[in-house]
């Protein structure tokens, strides 16, 4: 019953956060230097036309009312028009979601595979050379600039060994996978460093716990103890860590999309900044913020679903 | 007669001033970077802007240990001069968020009530955004450049410090010495800055060291994207961007600046780890 109520009412807590996100983007776009009406009119600006535009877009209304209009448009999916692409912002952004989503999902998948294998290796060889190597990787990995790592991988695997395309996104699903492998690997290397640090420590703690000792006393083989008991118990905090790092992960993909020329939202954001396409900047920032809030929300739910010990 | 309390001779042990190994390594690495940054005019073999088209795209060799770029500029000299830019970027990029965040966190934690509530709600909103996305959005409004980057960092980065300090202040403000200070009639300002803050700030200082890593990485990434430090200034991110067109013929242009970023980040990571260990903090 508690669980049911949690799933039902927890989404309500999202409302103030989403309102906050809208408020910040609203304030951001309102702080563009200069009068929006004057910018829109350019050389045609006369006192009369400015007043007309101001009335037309509600710019002469009080600020709180403008915010209400802004929210109303948002609910109707109206995020304004792009000055660069000359079309509705919403359509431009939704077209770009797929590559970014593939990049994020692929990176997370690879990072989890790396992190689980590396931490398992380190935890079962604690204090030995393997463990030290893994710890070195997890410390050094944090300080690697992702854009540089991407270029280095590109240099080795695409230019020298000619295993992967240098950049772009591809046309068929298989071709896209081929294009996305190197970018995903780049982001995953940095992310797995973060995860490994945490997962190794929690695996070591779980291996020393009473239930692991009890399982060993019952004569279970070490492999079975590790995969059946230690791993499921140590992975829950890692799921949360993954969710907390989603913002950082999104930041990383923005840069990586520019390195590998992937037509995703990150590349769209960077181009929009150069062309001062404020409506696009606003929309992408909002989509990214909502995505990271929703991922954290999903992780909360997932933790409850996976771990029966979590008290609500 | 042998005086009591003379310490036993301790051969083969680290001298007392030496901290944990990561701290020593971190300080050493950072010291080397500071020397390179300050001594750039004397240590760099060439002028970082000197274009010599006769030696363009030279691989690493005796005359140019790190090779030359497409304008014939010496990569080693440019890497050394960049240390100035990136080190300054790290320090300034952390100083403002640190000061603003500490101020806000201390006031919010100490006074509580409506002030606390308002600041914490703003903090929640800022935290909902991915860090780099919000920094980029602010850069879009202010226009590209290093000054805009610092302003963006100050607007976004204060939240981590405010949260850290506030949590500490909440613990410290209930302690006996604060109650004693108040019963002595000290003003709130005096108690806050002379008594509460010094006892709450350690975790933030350690965090600031690891935050420098984040700032240098995002600063060079933003410069790589063309939104931060502008060419022809020698900066690691800018150099990597300039060299990307030549990765099939001249690997050295992009490789060495990246190694430099990694080494600077390594130094500050070690410093943060060691400092945390020495001061008995976890993580």
């Amino acid at each position: 019953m508690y669980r049911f109520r949690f799933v039902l009412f927890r989404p309500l807590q999202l409302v103030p956060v989403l309102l906050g996100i809208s408020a910040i983007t609203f304030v951001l776009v309102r702080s563009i230097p200069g009068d929006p009406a004057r910018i829109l009119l350019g050389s045609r600006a006369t006192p009369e036309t400015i007043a007309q535009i101001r009335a037309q877009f509600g710019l002469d209304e009080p600020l709180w009312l403008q915010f209400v209009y802004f929210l109303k448009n948002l609910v109707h999916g109206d995020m304004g028009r792009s000055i660069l692409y000359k079309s509705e912002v919403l359509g431009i952004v939704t077209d770009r979601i797929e590559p970014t989503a593939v990049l994020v999902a692929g990176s997370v998948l690879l990072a989890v595979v790396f992190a689980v294998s590396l931490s398992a290796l380190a935890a079962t060889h604690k204090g030995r050379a393997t463990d030290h190597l893994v710890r070195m990787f997890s410390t050094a990995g944090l300080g690697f600039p992702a854009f540089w790592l991407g270029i280095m991988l590109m240099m080795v695997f695409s230019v020298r060994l000619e295993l992967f395309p240098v950049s772009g996104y591809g046309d068929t699903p298989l071709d896209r996978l081929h294009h996305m492998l190197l970018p995903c690997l780049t982001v995953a290397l940095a992310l797995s460093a973060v995860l490994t640090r945490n997962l190794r420590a929690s695996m070591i703690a779980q291996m020393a716990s009473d239930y692991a000792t009890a399982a060993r006393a019952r004569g279970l083989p070490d492999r079975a103890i590790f995969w059946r008991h230690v791993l499921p118990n140590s992975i829950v905090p890692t799921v949360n860590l993954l969710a907390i790092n989603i913002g950082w992960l999104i930041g990383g993909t923005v840069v990586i999309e520019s390195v590998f020329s992937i037509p995703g939202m990150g590349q769209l954001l960077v181009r929009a900044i150069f062309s001062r396409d404020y409506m696009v900047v606003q929309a992408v920032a909002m989509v990214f913020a909502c995505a990271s809030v929703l991922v954290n929300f999903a992780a909360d739910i997932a933790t409850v679903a996976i771990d029966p010990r979590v008290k609500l | 007669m042998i005086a009591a309390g003379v310490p036993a001779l301790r051969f083969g042990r680290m001298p007392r001033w030496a901290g944990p190994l990561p701290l020593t390594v971190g300080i050493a690495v950072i010291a080397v970077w500071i020397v390179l940054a300050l001594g750039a005019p004397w240590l760099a073999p060439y002028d970082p802007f000197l274009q010599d088209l006769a030696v363009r795209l030279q691989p690493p060799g005796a005359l140019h240990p790190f090779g030359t770029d497409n304008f014939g500029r010496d990569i080693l000299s440019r890497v050394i001069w960049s240390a100035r830019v990136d080190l300054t970027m790290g320090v300034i990029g952390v100083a403002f968020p640190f000061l603003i965040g500490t101020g806000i966190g201390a006031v919010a934690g100490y006074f509580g009530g409506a002030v606390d509530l308002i600041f914490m709600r703003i903090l929640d909103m800022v935290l909902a955004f991915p860090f780099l996305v919000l920094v980029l959005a602010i850069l879009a409004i202010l226009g590209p450049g290093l000054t805009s980057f610092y302003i963006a960092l100050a607007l976004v980065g204060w939240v981590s410090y405010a949260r850290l300090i506030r949590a500490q202040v909440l613990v410290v403000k209930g302690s006996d010495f604060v109650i004693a200070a108040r019963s002595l009639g000290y003003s709130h300002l005096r108690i806050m800055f002379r008594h509460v803050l010094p006892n709450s700030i350690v975790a933030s200082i350690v965090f600031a060291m690891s935050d420098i890593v984040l700032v240098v990485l995002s600063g060079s990434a933003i410069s790589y994207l063309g939104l931060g430090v502008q060419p022809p200034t020698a900066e690691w991110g800018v150099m990597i961007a300039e060299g990307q067109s030549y990765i099939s013929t001249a690997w050295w242009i992009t490789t060495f600046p990246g190694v430099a970023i990694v080494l600077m980040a390594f130094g500050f990571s070690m410093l943060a780890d060691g400092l945390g260990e020495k001061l008995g903090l976890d993580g």
Side-chain angles (χ1 to χ4, degrees), chain A residues 153-201:
Chain A
L153 291 175
M154 198 192 275
M155 210 147 79
V156 174
F157 291 103
S158 307
V159 178
R160 287 285 140 97
L161 303 175
E162 296 180 9
L163 288 175
F164 296 100
V166 174
S167 62
Y169 189 47
D171 302 314
T172 61
L174 206 67
D175 193 25
R176 286 185 180 173
L177 212 61
H178 193 206
H179 275 87
M180 294 302 277
L181 204 64
L182 221 45
C184 287
L185 186 67
T186 310
V187 181
L189 279 175
L191 182 61
S192 60
V194 183
L195 299 183
T196 303
R197 205 175 198 184
N198 180 271
L199 194 56
R200 173 189 165 276

Side-chain angles (χ1 to χ4, degrees), chain A residues 9-259:
Chain A
F9 289 105
R10 181 67 175 71
L12 290 180
Q13 291 177 14
L14 287 177
V15 175
V17 181
L18 294 178
L19 267 177
I21 291 172
S22 327
I24 286 200
T25 42
F26 177 76
V27 169
L28 266 179
V29 172
R30 274 304 127 94
S31 10
I32 300 166
D35 183 350
R38 195 179 291 272
I39 292 169
L40 200 70
L41 285 164
S43 56
R44 290 173 294 146
T46 60
E48 294 80 47
T49 51
I50 288 177
Q52 192 193 338
I53 290 286
R54 290 182 71 90
Q56 189 185 336
F57 287 93
L59 293 171
D60 49 357
E61 308 276 9
L63 208 60
W64 66 268
L65 201 60
Q66 290 188 37
F67 183 56
V68 172
Y69 286 149
F70 172 75
L71 287 180
K72 206 177 121 201
N73 289 340
L74 216 55
V75 171
H76 291 127
D78 180 5
M79 292 174 133
R81 287 177 71 83
S82 154
I83 49 163
L84 184 65
Y85 300 91
K86 311 262 183 255
S87 62
E88 292 292 319
V89 168
L90 190 69
I92 301 169
V93 174
T94 45
D95 284 349
R96 300 284 194 129
I97 288 179
E98 189 201 288
T100 305
V102 171
L103 181 56
V104 171
S107 312
V108 168
L109 196 71
L110 278 179
V112 169
V113 171
F114 288 157
V116 168
S117 11
L118 285 177
S119 334
L121 213 62
T124 49
H125 296 78
K126 187 170 177 273
R128 297 226 288 272
T130 333
D131 185 28
H132 289 305
L133 274 177
V134 171
R135 287 182 71 180
M136 256 174 67
F137 163 76
S138 65
T139 308
L142 297 173
F144 273 71
F147 62 100
W148 176 73
L149 193 63
I151 296 175
M152 291 295 115
L153 291 175
M154 198 192 275
M155 210 147 79
V156 174
F157 291 103
S158 307
V159 178
R160 287 285 140 97
L161 303 175
E162 296 180 9
L163 288 175
F164 296 100
V166 174
S167 62
Y169 189 47
D171 302 314
T172 61
L174 206 67
D175 193 25
R176 286 185 180 173
L177 212 61
H178 193 206
H179 275 87
M180 294 302 277
L181 204 64
L182 221 45
C184 287
L185 186 67
T186 310
V187 181
L189 279 175
L191 182 61
S192 60
V194 183
L195 299 183
T196 303
R197 205 175 198 184
N198 180 271
L199 194 56
R200 173 189 165 276
S202 82
M203 276 179 179
I204 286 172
Q206 295 293 337
M207 280 164 78
S209 66
D210 288 343
Y211 72 82
T213 315
R216 195 164 295 130
R218 279 190 286 130
L220 259 74
D222 280 348
R223 289 184 71 90
I225 299 174
F226 190 82
W227 295 108
R228 295 272 305 278
H229 299 282
V230 171
L231 183 63
N233 277 303
S234 38
I235 205 113
V236 175
T238 310
V239 170
N240 277 314
L241 188 70
L242 203 56
I244 292 168
N245 277 299
I246 188 75
W248 177 83
L249 184 61
I250 287 174
T253 58
V254 169
V255 182
I256 288 304
E257 280 178 13
S258 297
V259 174

Side-chain angles (χ1 to χ4, degrees), chain B residues 216-233:
Chain B
V216 170
L217 287 182
S218 36
S220 57
I222 278 167
S223 302
Y224 165 79
L225 294 174
L227 295 166
V229 179
Q230 299 295 320
T233 308

